[in-house]
Amino acid sequence: MTTTHEPTLFEKSRPGRTGYSIPTCAASASDLPAELARETAVELPELSEVDVVRHYTRLSQRNFGIDLGMYPLGSCTMKYNPRINEATARYSGFAKLHPHTPPTQAQGALALMHELQNMLAEISGLGAVSLQPAAGAHGEMTGLMVIRAYHTKNGNPRKKVLIPDTAHGTNPASSTICNYEVETVGSDAHGGIDLDALAAKMNEDVAALMITNPNTLGLFESRIAEAAKIVHDRGGLVYCDGANLNAILGITRPGDFGADVMHINLHKTFTTPHGGGGPGAGPVAVRDFLAPFLPVPAIVKTANGYDWDYDRPDSVGKVHAFFGNFGMLVRAYTYIREMGAKGLAKVSAMAVLNATYIKESLKDVYHLAYDEPCMHECVLSDKGMPGGVTTMDIAKRLMDYGFHPPTVYFPLIVKGSIMIEPTETESLENCDRFIEAMKEIRRDAETNPDMIHEAPHHAPVTRLNDVQAAKRMRLTADL
């Protein structure tokens, strides 16, 4: 590994150099109780202001984000976040609103959340929404808690959740956290859920089928209504992982094809920030008969305005402090209002078009696991690549061309998979640049595979040992 090392502020420190000017304090040191006083001076870096600014500016330029280039990160969409979202989230009436403000003095914020709930209900085709969950996986857990509460209310919480082998990894994790056993349902030859396998596993012990549609192969589950009927006929519920809503937005609705519960990743579909682990938002939508089990408080509209409703005895309780991450809700609300119904449908159309264009352009160059019409993402693999070039090599080499690597080695049912999701915001020219980079990597694999094995060559840090980089992060300075 080689690297252009950026010293830490402590390493750059020089005795006596300062970046501040503070008036002399009138209080004497003796005013501080002796037991609270330090015995030695605190070791802070001594630097000028410009040293600090340049340090952090250099570090910021090492990050690759959606504002710098294409982010074909399948599954976990890294959509572009329009700046208008940031402007509205920073309105002082929203940004400075204290969470303990009485409802009578926060009518604007409550109105926004109430309208957003209604918008998400309409988009999902489900009757009721809670905005509380802080992320997609948190939404999964909340949705499964609702399912458990519903079955318990009916005398049997049931024991199992069925999950297709194309599921996101969070699905079995969330099910296990909610004390459900997980059984995997295989896929058929076309990459969709195997209905015969589903019917064989479905019984009165199954609480829910947890399915992603479109699935993680980028394929629409065209027999989803049949799958839902199999589950419903035995008293189970259908949980739709809404992570891929971006592909069907404004075109079809999970509630219309049989889903009873779903979470919606606002960062994936509605352009709220995603990186860094949050703050996020993963609202949960349910059919009307499940509404009493949603978290409290619910936002209700009364004759006197908007208010919180805590009187919900069947509720699973609170799942987040206060009412969710409000700033994310403002951003999503702004995006939906800005796009409108026609604009949201166009989002999905463009996302599908871009993914299909890339799939059709590369399927003769890279192995395509399932040659079916794709939705917003397509899955290639390294099968048949010359020179021993692997999926990881391809991902690293893409960095040299100025692209963030796609998701690799997922979904698990495709060996050496490369999941590519361009999203709707990439132009034809950007898609063509990505396609040409992939083709060049394929050509180089035939003539100079070692060069690809050693990629990236132009990134600030070259090839890392992935395991050691995760286990032995260097977070301190050598002083």
Side-chain angles (χ1 to χ4, degrees):
M1 180 191 80
T2 60
T3 178
T4 52
H5 175 59
E6 171 69 21
T8 68
L9 291 180
F10 290 93
E11 291 171 309
K12 295 169 69 69
S13 177
R14 294 293 180 272
R17 191 170 296 173
T18 62
Y20 64 90
S21 57
I22 301 176
T24 302
C25 181
S28 64
S30 60
D31 293 337
L32 189 67
E35 66 271 20
L36 298 179
R38 292 182 59 91
E39 296 179 353
T40 59
V42 61
E43 295 182 3
L44 296 175
E46 298 176 71
L47 296 160
S48 68
E49 179 177 310
V50 71
D51 288 337
V52 176
V53 169
R54 287 173 178 169
H55 169 76
Y56 284 112
T57 300
R58 279 192 292 271
L59 288 180
S60 72
Q61 290 172 339
R62 291 187 175 192
N63 285 335
F64 186 92
I66 190 65
D67 292 343
L68 286 172
M70 187 171 168
Y71 225 101
L73 199 61
S75 187
C76 290
T77 320
M78 296 294 173
K79 286 179 66 162
Y80 174 71
N81 304 147
R83 292 301 183 266
I84 183 66
N85 297 356
E86 301 304 312
T88 55
R90 284 169 172 72
Y91 285 167
S92 61
F94 291 146
K96 296 182 180 179
L97 185 66
H98 195 283
H100 281 308
T101 302
T104 54
Q105 298 176 30
Q107 287 293 294
L110 267 65
L112 182 146
M113 288 191 280
H114 192 267
E115 289 183 29
L116 179 60
Q117 284 184 174
N118 292 341
M119 291 173 181
L120 297 178
E122 176 62 28
I123 289 168
S124 65
L126 297 167
V129 175
S130 171
L131 302 174
Q132 270 193 38
H138 193 197
E140 288 180 23
M141 187 189 75
T142 304
L144 288 165
M145 290 168 63
V146 167
I147 289 172
R148 174 173 284 279
Y150 165 77
H151 286 307
T152 302
K153 179 81 173 180
N154 288 314
N156 178 13
R158 304 197 172 201
K159 301 175 182 176
K160 300 177 182 177
V161 171
L162 303 181
I163 301 179
D165 59 5
T166 54
H168 289 106
T170 50
N171 292 176
S174 299
S175 300
T176 302
I177 287 175
C178 291
N179 293 321
Y180 283 118
E181 299 172 25
V182 172
E183 283 195 14
T184 302
V185 181
S187 299
D188 62 22
H190 301 286
I193 186 171
D194 186 327
L195 294 184
D196 292 334
L198 173 64
K201 291 176 180 289
M202 188 62 212
N203 55 50
E204 278 68 25
D205 275 344
V206 175
L209 166 69
M210 199 170 190
I211 189 169
T212 305
N213 196 19
N215 65 28
T216 59
L217 292 169
L219 308 178
F220 188 80
E221 293 279 0
S222 58
R223 303 180 71 184
I224 183 66
E226 296 172 69
K229 186 175 187 308
I230 292 171
V231 176
H232 288 152
D233 284 349
R234 306 296 292 271
L237 299 177
V238 176
Y239 185 107
C240 182
D241 181 328
N244 290 345
L245 183 61
N246 197 54
I248 58 175
L249 198 60
I251 297 173
T252 186
R253 308 187 303 175
D256 294 342
F257 57 62
D260 301 299
V261 184
M262 74 174 298
H263 73 270
I264 301 169
N265 294 330
L266 297 189
H267 56 275
K268 289 186 177 181
T269 308
F270 299 111
T271 68
T272 66
H274 180 278
V284 172
V286 301
R287 291 197 185 278
D288 289 330
F289 69 90
L290 295 171
F293 304 98
L294 285 173
V296 287
I299 308 170
V300 294
K301 187 176 184 180
T302 71
N304 298 320
Y306 298 93
D307 203 352
W308 298 115
D309 179 11
Y310 285 88
D311 187 16
R312 303 222 165 190
D314 291 328
S315 168
V316 297
K318 287 183 69 70
V319 297
H320 191 282
F322 300 108
F323 319 110
N325 289 326
F326 179 65
M328 295 301 110
L329 307 181
V330 176
R331 289 172 171 88
Y333 176 87
T334 304
Y335 180 70
I336 294 172
R337 288 294 302 270
E338 196 275 338
M339 297 300 290
K342 291 183 179 178
L344 293 178
K346 188 175 181 180
V347 161
S348 290
M350 293 299 295
V352 173
L353 177 63
N354 279 354
T356 301
Y357 180 67
I358 288 175
K359 184 202 75 170
E360 291 297 316
S361 300
L362 292 177
K363 71 177 186 180
D364 294 332
V365 184
Y366 288 85
H367 175 253
L368 178 64
Y370 293 89
D371 194 3
E372 303 282 343
C374 77
M375 301 298 287
H376 63 312
E377 59 194 10
C378 61
V379 178
L380 307 172
S381 83
D382 60 2
K383 183 178 180 179
M385 281 292 288
V389 169
T390 67
T391 288
M392 185 59 74
D393 295 330
I394 298 166
K396 297 293 187 184
R397 182 59 177 155
L398 277 170
M399 296 168 67
D400 289 334
Y401 288 91
F403 298 104
H404 190 284
T407 292
V408 294
Y409 300 111
F410 183 83
L412 300 178
I413 66 170
V414 177
K415 185 178 180 181
S417 56
I418 309 169
M419 179 191 287
I420 300 166
E421 181 174 5
T423 78
E424 68 277 4
T425 54
E426 296 304 332
S427 66
L428 175 63
E429 292 77 17
N430 287 341
C431 290
D432 281 339
R433 283 184 56 240
F434 179 81
I435 291 165
E436 185 53 36
M438 289 288 285
K439 289 182 175 178
E440 284 192 26
I441 292 172
R442 170 70 195 214
R443 289 193 289 268
D444 288 340
E446 296 171 350
T447 58
N448 189 7
D450 287 343
M451 183 265 290
I452 302 177
H453 293 313
E454 296 164 1
H457 301 277
H458 308 307
V461 177
T462 56
R463 181 70 70 101
L464 293 170
N465 181 314
D466 296 309
V467 175
Q468 294 301 320
K471 290 185 174 180
R472 296 184 180 179
M473 290 181 284
R474 182 173 180 270
L475 302 176
T476 57
D478 295 328
L479 299 175

